[in-house]
Amino acid sequence: MLKRRKNHIFSIYAVLGSRICPTIYTITYFIPMFRHLPFFVFLLMLSTGFAQQPDTLWTRLLKENTTTLKPGPNGFTGKGWDLIQKGIQQNQYVLIGEDHFMTEIPYFTTQVLKAASFNTFALEVDPYVAQILNQKLSQPDTASLMKWARQTGAALSFYGLREEFQMLQAANRTGTTFIGLDQIAMISDPLLYEDLAGTATRAISRKQYAAMAERAKAAADKFTADMSQPTYMRSAAFSQDLAELEKEPLSAREKEILDAIKLSARIYKTESHALRVQLMKHQLMMAYESAIKNKKVLVKMGAMHCARGESYLRGYDCGNLLSNLADSEYKTSFHIAIFGKDGVQGSPFKGLPAQKLDPYNGDLKFIKPFFDVTPAEEWAVFNLLPVRRALQSQKLKIDDIDLRRTILGYDVLVIFPRAHPSHSIN
């Protein structure tokens, strides 16, 4: 994602990204002649680019700390799942750093939700869309809910995808509450104008919000078909409409939402990832007392957001903040990275078509040592803690900075052999 879709980094949902949001992936494909060898043989096949030979410490660490898990109709089985369940149950905060647009990941997350009772589920959407999702998913009328979801579509960000929305439905049934940590996506703002059109105190303002919703929807439709088209948030009309609204008194809620939209527009216009991360951490702290502190929390976002320590983009993101917060509470956090090795990565709309994952030249080539030992037909689970200890004690030398960040930032790495694209809810 970091390379493949870097040009679209500020074009989708709040730097939606492609692989690790903006991705950093490459995936290594097994040489066909090795595809049917037993699993233990794969553990001896290491990347020559890693500068490690068989019988080294690296080889032994992989052999001793690699297990598998098998998906089935009733969830996962295998020693790899036992390791993950233990981490879920023993830690206060559980973070899933994902690659986007693959059906396997919402399935995995649904199984994580079953492994413990979570109070809060933090999503890669803005707080207002999260509130809307809480309201809509609490409705008992499933037919009306699905009609609304299909009509809303890509404005729900990742949750305009069928498998992701089904995951939210499963989460809602467990009683968890959704919170949003991200900026307002550039095609999600129509939802907020619609809300304000029904709740603003002044009739003239309600009329203005309704008109803004229509303009934003029309721009979003053009953008999702052709990403060269501007969204409403980045248009001159948006600035003019805001100026007109601000001539009259605004309620506190109106001002709060409009300020949030303006800040999101600024992030898009300046393409400032640093400002986006600042906003995400700010919103995490705004939710801390009510929804995070002393709560069992699940977080699911792009992998660049969920690691402890330095992220793939050199900053310190929400995963690091949550790790520090857990530490301050005398508790712990559990960080899972999950990537697909081969297959197809989906897309949220026509303007960004699905893409075949490139096992040799993709954005995650730094994880090649792990891809090289991933079985052709099974999910692999790598316990990174012993590898981290060897790295921190300088017994193991790794030159690749992103491979180091993965090992230092995540406790477990999950790799599934073949990705299948997510589907539009429509």
Side-chain angles (χ1 to χ4, degrees):
M1 298 183 300
L2 190 60
K3 294 182 180 177
R4 186 177 72 207
R5 296 187 181 174
K6 188 173 181 180
N7 291 337
H8 300 310
I9 224 175
F10 288 93
S11 301
I12 320 176
Y13 314 121
V15 192
L16 213 79
S18 60
R19 299 223 59 187
I20 53 182
C21 176
T23 301
I24 299 182
Y25 283 56
T26 333
I27 309 175
T28 304
Y29 198 77
F30 284 122
I31 299 172
M33 66 179 289
F34 293 127
R35 281 191 173 274
H36 302 292
L37 292 179
F39 177 60
F40 74 88
V41 176
F42 283 110
L43 292 176
L44 300 177
M45 296 164 51
L46 301 181
S47 167
T48 56
F50 188 70
Q52 298 287 336
Q53 301 302 319
D55 302 324
T56 62
L57 174 60
W58 174 256
T59 308
R60 295 194 296 274
L61 285 168
L62 272 187
K63 186 175 181 179
E64 294 167 2
N65 296 288
T66 304
T67 52
T68 60
L69 58 82
K70 184 176 181 179
N74 298 315
F76 288 112
T77 56
K79 291 183 178 179
W81 184 240
D82 294 341
L83 174 68
I84 291 170
Q85 279 189 303
K86 183 177 179 182
I88 293 166
Q89 292 162 2
Q90 291 183 350
N91 291 272
Q92 189 75 8
Y93 303 145
V94 178
L95 297 91
I96 300 173
E98 66 171 2
D99 197 2
H100 298 308
F101 312 131
M102 302 175 187
T103 63
E104 287 78 7
I105 296 175
Y107 171 79
F108 176 83
T109 306
T110 300
Q111 304 314 310
V112 170
L113 283 159
K114 293 177 181 178
S117 180
F118 290 96
N119 306 108
T120 302
F121 190 176
L123 308 175
E124 198 170 342
V125 295
D126 67 80
Y128 308 104
V129 168
Q131 290 173 13
I132 292 169
L133 287 168
N134 279 318
Q135 294 164 3
K136 294 293 184 179
L137 285 162
S138 65
Q139 295 177 357
D141 186 347
T142 303
S144 296
L145 170 66
M146 296 311 300
K147 180 180 179 181
W148 169 80
R150 286 190 291 270
Q151 290 173 341
T152 308
L156 292 174
S157 185
F158 301 105
Y159 308 106
L161 298 168
R162 185 173 68 212
E163 295 82 5
E164 297 281 352
F165 194 80
Q166 289 170 343
M167 177 199 70
L168 293 188
Q169 289 179 288
N172 180 69
R173 288 193 290 270
T174 70
T176 191
T177 298
F178 304 118
I179 62 171
L181 301 182
D182 209 351
Q183 72 195 79
I184 296 165
M186 62 169 64
I187 58 174
S188 292
D189 55 328
L191 293 174
L192 305 188
Y193 306 133
E194 287 176 350
D195 180 74
L196 290 170
T199 59
T201 54
R202 301 173 68 252
I204 189 170
S205 295
R206 291 195 295 272
K207 184 176 179 180
Q208 285 176 291
Y209 289 127
M212 291 170 74
E214 290 302 315
R215 284 192 277 274
K217 280 188 208 172
D221 288 343
K222 292 179 181 178
F223 176 79
T224 55
D226 177 3
M227 289 178 61
S228 68
Q229 298 297 312
T231 59
Y232 174 66
M233 201 185 289
R234 300 185 72 167
S235 70
F238 168 72
S239 299
Q240 293 166 2
D241 289 341
L242 274 183
E244 285 298 314
L245 276 169
E246 290 172 342
K247 289 178 181 178
E248 303 295 337
L250 299 172
S251 68
R253 184 169 182 274
E254 287 175 83
K255 189 175 186 308
E256 176 189 315
I257 293 175
L258 291 178
D259 284 346
I261 295 171
K262 285 192 290 185
L263 179 54
S264 298
R266 177 183 162 197
I267 291 170
Y268 283 118
K269 290 174 182 177
T270 61
E271 299 189 354
S272 175
H273 177 69
L275 180 57
R276 182 193 178 205
V277 172
Q278 281 184 299
L279 172 62
M280 293 176 76
K281 291 189 289 188
H282 172 77
Q283 295 189 149
L284 189 156
M285 293 308 301
M286 291 294 289
Y288 178 65
E289 289 292 336
S290 62
I292 296 174
K293 186 177 181 181
N294 296 321
K295 303 287 197 302
K296 184 77 170 180
V297 179
L298 176 63
V299 179
K300 176 180 175 288
M301 297 192 294
M304 72 174 183
H305 299 299
C306 291
R308 63 167 61 81
E310 187 178 58
S311 78
Y312 292 115
L313 294 186
R314 303 179 186 175
Y316 293 85
D317 216 303
C318 293
N320 187 65
L321 177 56
L322 277 167
S323 175
N324 287 331
L325 289 171
D327 193 44
S328 74
E329 300 165 8
Y330 304 100
K331 295 172 183 172
T332 52
S333 57
F334 184 55
H335 302 247
I336 306 167
I338 178 167
F339 306 137
K341 178 181 182 293
D342 197 4
V344 177
Q345 182 176 34
S347 168
F349 42 74
K350 293 179 181 178
L352 189 70
Q355 294 193 27
K356 176 79 170 63
L357 299 181
D358 186 341
Y360 291 111
N361 302 300
D363 301 317
L364 288 178
K365 57 180 175 289
F366 61 88
I367 299 182
K368 185 178 187 297
F370 293 106
F371 285 132
D372 280 346
V373 297
T374 297
E377 303 298 333
E378 293 183 288
W379 291 41
V381 177
F382 301 94
N383 180 2
L384 298 181
L385 296 182
V387 186
R388 183 188 305 159
R389 286 193 289 268
L391 184 61
Q392 290 173 329
S393 65
Q394 300 184 349
K395 294 177 182 178
L396 181 67
K397 178 176 172 56
I398 296 177
D399 294 326
D400 190 296
I401 185 62
D402 287 321
L403 182 57
R404 289 176 59 88
R405 286 170 176 150
T406 304
I407 294 167
L408 295 172
Y410 285 96
D411 303 308
V412 168
L413 171 61
V414 179
I415 298 176
F416 48 95
R418 183 168 296 276
H420 296 83
S422 298
H423 303 87
S424 169
I425 203 165
N426 295 312

